[in-house]
Amino acid sequence: MERDIEKQLKVILQGTEDVLLLDELKEKLRESIDKKKPLRVKLGLDPTAPDIHLGHTVVLNKLRQFQDLGHKAILIIGDYTARIGDPSGRSTIRPRLSAGEIKENAKTYMEQAFKILDPERTEIVENSRWLGSLKLEDILSLTSKFTVARMLEREDFKKRFQGNIPITLMEFLYPIMQAYDSVAIKADVELGGTDQRFNLLMGRELQKEFSQPPQTAITMPILVGIDGVEKMSKSLGNYIGVTEPPEEIFGKIMSIPDNIMIDYYKLLTRLSNEEIKKIECEIKEGKLNPSIAKRNLAKIIIENLYNKDDAEKAEQTFNRIFKQKKAPDEVKECVLSGKDIKDGKIWIVKLLVDSGLADSNSQARRLIEQGAVKVGEDKIENPNLELNIEDIDQKIIQKGKRHFRKILIQR
RNA sequence: GGAGGAGUUCCCGAGUGGUCAAAGGGAGCAGACUGUAAAUCUGCCGGCGUAGGCCUUCGGAGGUUCGAAUCCUCCCUCCUCCA
């Protein structure tokens, strides 16, 4: 029994930032094992954007681990809360979304979340189910349980308040609604990023008000984006989407700064602490080449989202392009038709723009001047060059290291 | 309701009558190098033109002026303070 608890704990605690409270969690596990009753583990996702990225998967992975330990995952689609917008970590008010947008987003969210979760052991609920039917009376009753001072204890609210940056009353309501979700589904555990700490704690408090045992709050570190600086987010453009093609993911992982690699290992793979420590040490001692470690990381991540084959292929493509400096097997095609061809010739600048390799003539010209353009094996140096279409049919045109187009002439 | 402040090129941000397509930083792209699309260094970074040059841009619309991102008028948006 004790060993069982320890075993589960080890998995659960992997990579976590904080557990409130750990002793409570142990008790819950004990009871769960004792009565063979799985824990109800809550994760709320607000469908505020159509795609999920690796940042979201940190917490999804944790939920998956709970599932693998036999617990029940309860995924709350925050279709109602999305309309308010979580103020966590924000310095400004969020733009509000329409019901239609939210519905669309929720759909893709689900599909993508199941790249990680086991659908068999997941319960999905939309929080509009209970939040939507609350009456003003109910809301008054809920809000009466919390004080303004308590709200302002929260770091981001405090900062905004002190910095004279507006906070709407609606935003104050957000944590309360999220807390109410926990009451509604009787959560034993709630997962979230560290920025969710306050919201998770509110859940505990509200559950107590409703005479429920308070949920254990487990927070996961926030994943830093591929720029290595800001947190991963779509709006900052430093993200890797879970639906991106394997080759793209591979490349993006290879482009993360070395110094965040270990964090990625910790948060995006299910390797044990020991295994990760080992990798870290070997890199430090010079036994393991960081680029190899990064390759492995990329493969593990792709394997989780796709499968082993795709991971292998992605690596091969990468090798082809960067090691052998060759075009990949599959190259986007660019079909040229009559209108840009004059007397059987086409201007190189035009070709670059038409194929989408350059945004404008000026840019294309600059690229050529910088020696970034190749047609077939030949580097192009003259921006005024006119190419015979006979010579370039089926050839590959390349911009920089990694952008290729195969030319097809349509007659 | 009253008073004040702000809106600049993808983002941040400098710029208060000509030398402004607009400093600086970031992002992006390219080149060199490498262990990688890391790091570092260098270049490019509104559009059109082979080029001289031309065109469009500084919240919007007008106006003053030989000339405006910069001055004036009106409008729009955002923010702060007082109530």
Side-chain angles (χ1 to χ4, degrees), chain A residues 322-359:
Chain A
F322 296 103
K323 279 248 154 108
Q324 304 163 25
K325 299 191 196 279
K326 281 188 196 153
D329 288 337
E330 283 167 44
V331 178
K332 265 196 209 163
E333 294 181 344
C334 161
V335 179
L336 295 178
S337 57
K339 64 176 186 289
D340 297 316
I341 304 169
K342 249 194 232 149
D343 305 330
K345 290 186 168 191
I346 183 164
W347 180 27
I348 179 67
V349 166
K350 195 105 199 154
L351 181 60
L352 284 166
V353 175
D354 283 353
S355 60
L357 291 174
D359 293 332

Side-chain angles (χ1 to χ4, degrees), chain A residues 134-285:
Chain A
L134 288 179
K135 296 207 173 55
L136 181 58
E137 208 181 309
D138 304 317
I139 295 166
L140 289 177
S141 151
L142 286 176
T143 50
S144 70
K145 314 232 187 281
F146 299 97
T147 64
V148 172
R150 173 79 179 103
M151 289 299 187
L152 288 176
E153 277 174 27
R154 189 174 139 153
E155 195 58 27
D156 43 22
F157 278 152
K158 197 199 289 176
K159 272 206 193 111
R160 282 164 68 177
F161 187 66
Q162 287 172 347
N164 290 330
I165 298 161
I167 305 169
T168 63
L169 281 180
M170 189 175 77
E171 290 178 278
F172 264 4
L173 240 38
Y174 187 94
I176 298 177
M177 305 185 99
Q178 183 172 336
Y180 189 68
D181 287 348
S182 294
V183 172
I185 64 149
K186 299 197 173 63
D188 294 310
V189 176
E190 179 166 5
L191 304 179
T194 49
D195 56 350
Q196 288 291 313
R197 169 187 267 260
F198 181 91
N199 293 352
L200 303 190
L201 290 174
M202 293 285 279
R204 286 172 62 86
E205 288 184 34
L206 199 61
Q207 282 177 310
K208 284 187 215 162
E209 294 285 346
F210 280 80
S211 315
Q212 289 182 15
Q215 63 185 9
T216 301
I218 298 182
T219 56
M220 299 297 296
I222 300 295
L223 186 73
V224 65
I226 56 176
D227 57 356
V229 185
E230 305 277 1
K231 77 170 193 178
M232 184 174 283
S233 91
K234 182 147 194 183
S235 52
L236 293 172
N238 59 357
Y239 69 102
I240 301 178
V242 300
T243 54
E244 289 185 47
E247 302 77 48
E248 196 62 24
I249 297 178
F250 197 97
K252 282 190 177 178
I253 292 291
M254 290 309 280
S255 80
I256 63 170
D258 288 358
N259 60 24
I260 64 168
M261 195 160 62
I262 292 300
D263 282 341
Y264 271 43
Y265 262 108
K266 282 183 190 155
L267 298 176
L268 299 174
T269 73
R270 291 180 214 135
L271 297 187
S272 69
N273 283 337
E274 290 80 22
E275 289 170 291
I276 295 172
K277 261 266 151 48
K278 194 170 155 225
I279 294 170
E280 195 174 6
C281 285
E282 287 187 348
I283 291 176
K284 231 176 244 160
E285 292 163 8

